[in-house]
Amino acid sequence: MSDKIPVLVVCPGRGTYNATELGYIAQHHAARQADYLSSVDQLRDRQHQERVTALDGRTKYAPTLHTRGDNASLLIHAAAYCDFQCIDRERYEIVAITGNSLGWYISLGCGAALDEAEAALLVNTMGTLMQQTLNGAQLVYPLVDSNWLPVPGRREVIEAIMTDIALRAGRSIHVSIELGGMLVVGGDDVSIRELAAALPEVDGRFPLKLRNHAAFHTPLQSEVARTAQSQLRNLRFTRPEVPLIDGHARVWYPWSTDVSALWQYTLGPQLVEPYDFTGAVQTAVKEFAPARIIVLGPGNSLGGAVAQALVDIEWQGMVDRTSFAQRQEREPFVFSMGLAEQRALVTG
């Protein structure tokens, strides 16, 4: 029996590479992952796009540049995949991998369902297609209070407003991502503006419209899905080496995965149907009982959503933000590689 610590790995989505992450790849991976980064840059060269290492190495963070889908997607993927390679395998046993949105594509590479080159090609192609169409928008709104407890009736209010908007001519608005204590809504630009205007302000921050985000995981991405299926028809999937949990909270096991079905999901439902990140995390901890959860960088924006998903099912006595913080202080359960002190515990 292995004496390694069983861990769930969580891969980040869009919006995790921000101004504070500029230089993340150079700081942590320039020497250790030089060959891999070179291959990623060569892919960008072939597509006549700025190199990932150049984007990471710029002297100043530029939101109009770094948040674009055709730049941000592979930038985040490269940082996260390199982080994954740095996990101390002598100490930790990876029992499952999941991710949020873009994180599903990253998990395919980490779990070896796609090799390094194919995973990078998938991420870069999808990021580029999303940026070229940029169809619709996304809005984030909290479902919980400051202690991560559900606000009674709030979800019903959001859904009622969405239903009213959807009845108007030419409107398209849908739940996009279940993100822990947050709900991400995707829709056409007018519908998202109307939803934002109708929702009460929370914490001086929400409702929050996401920069350079299309209406991911909604029917508005049908055109992108059709184009991706054509461009990536020869993408070579294999059975993953580690169980993967997708946006339907379904497990793809190494011994039973149908690679054709995996291709179909990744380039079909994953794009046009709601992404249940909350359910994916909850399924992962219930099915694989990890002793730790490792959230790959860049950044730490996904750590809260992971914790909120655990609190939602009162995992191991974590019933609110306070009890989660107490658990983290006493015996850390969630490690974010974007935080220096936690990264050191993961990489050894």
Side-chain angles (χ1 to χ4, degrees):
M1 184 175 180
S2 174
D3 58 357
K4 296 180 181 180
I5 300 171
V7 298
L8 166 69
V9 171
V10 179
C11 303
R14 286 279 301 277
T16 53
Y17 191 105
N18 298 298
T20 53
E21 282 72 55
L22 187 65
Y24 188 93
I25 293 174
Q27 178 184 356
H28 297 297
H29 303 298
R32 189 170 184 178
Q33 304 291 343
D35 290 342
Y36 170 71
L37 293 172
S38 176
S39 69
V40 169
D41 279 344
Q42 289 170 24
L43 167 63
R44 298 283 288 184
D45 288 344
R46 292 193 294 272
Q47 300 300 320
H48 307 290
Q49 295 171 309
E50 185 170 352
R51 291 184 166 196
V52 163
T53 53
L55 287 165
D56 182 70
R58 282 185 169 241
T59 57
K60 185 177 181 180
Y61 180 83
T64 55
L65 177 75
H66 287 94
T67 66
R68 289 174 54 96
D70 49 355
N71 292 331
S73 296
L74 197 58
L75 189 58
I76 293 167
H77 170 77
Y81 183 76
C82 289
D83 269 4
F84 180 77
Q85 299 302 320
C86 291
I87 295 173
D88 185 354
R89 306 306 172 84
E90 295 299 315
R91 186 179 184 190
Y92 298 106
E93 177 186 2
I94 298 169
V95 295
I97 306 172
T98 192
N100 174 45
S101 190
L102 167 65
W104 170 248
Y105 303 146
I106 299 172
S107 71
L108 291 169
C110 293
L114 290 171
D115 67 23
E116 290 183 350
E118 297 273 279
L121 175 62
L122 169 64
V123 170
N124 201 58
T125 300
M126 297 311 305
T128 300
L129 289 176
M130 292 289 188
Q131 186 64 36
Q132 288 173 346
T133 57
L134 210 58
N135 193 2
Q138 279 182 317
L139 175 149
V140 182
Y141 200 73
L143 298 173
V144 297
D145 62 20
S146 59
N147 202 29
W148 295 351
L149 296 175
V151 177
R154 180 170 286 179
R155 186 181 187 108
E156 289 74 16
V157 168
I158 299 170
E159 290 176 345
I161 297 171
M162 290 174 61
T163 298
D164 180 62
I165 292 172
L167 293 174
R168 302 169 192 172
R171 299 291 193 270
S172 180
I173 189 165
H174 312 268
V175 170
S176 175
I177 305 174
E178 302 282 354
L179 190 60
M182 301 285 182
L183 186 68
V184 184
V185 177
D188 63 89
D189 291 314
V190 174
S191 294
I192 292 299
R193 285 199 300 270
E194 291 176 343
L195 178 61
L199 289 171
E201 183 179 289
V202 176
D203 297 334
R205 182 184 177 198
F206 301 102
L208 175 65
K209 185 176 181 290
L210 300 175
R211 179 193 287 266
N212 268 331
H213 282 224
F216 306 146
H217 314 297
T218 76
L220 288 171
Q221 296 308 306
S222 296
E223 178 186 346
V224 169
R226 286 191 294 270
T227 304
Q229 289 165 12
S230 175
Q231 292 189 12
L232 298 169
R233 60 187 177 277
N234 296 321
L235 207 60
R236 296 184 295 273
F237 283 89
T238 60
R239 290 179 178 176
E241 294 179 354
V242 179
L244 306 177
I245 301 94
D246 67 18
H248 286 171
R250 169 179 49 193
V251 183
W252 299 82
Y253 291 98
W255 54 86
S256 61
T257 289
D258 179 335
V259 294
S260 176
L262 188 58
W263 184 95
Q264 291 287 346
Y265 167 74
T266 300
L267 298 176
Q270 203 277 149
L271 292 164
V272 299
E273 296 178 6
Y275 198 97
D276 189 1
F277 176 71
T278 301
V281 171
Q282 293 172 349
T283 294
V285 296
K286 291 176 182 177
E287 290 293 319
F288 300 99
R292 303 283 189 276
I293 296 177
I294 296 174
V295 182
L296 304 179
N300 183 42
S301 60
L302 203 55
V306 171
Q308 290 161 1
L310 300 174
V311 165
D312 182 60
I313 55 172
E314 299 185 1
W315 186 253
Q316 296 184 1
M318 293 178 278
V319 298
D320 54 20
R321 184 174 190 167
T322 300
S323 57
F324 172 78
Q326 291 171 343
R327 168 63 188 270
Q328 285 289 97
E329 182 70 23
R330 181 180 71 255
E331 183 185 0
F333 188 74
V334 179
F335 293 87
S336 293
M337 293 185 72
L339 298 177
E341 65 277 14
Q342 294 182 7
R343 181 183 190 86
L345 297 174
V346 170
T347 63

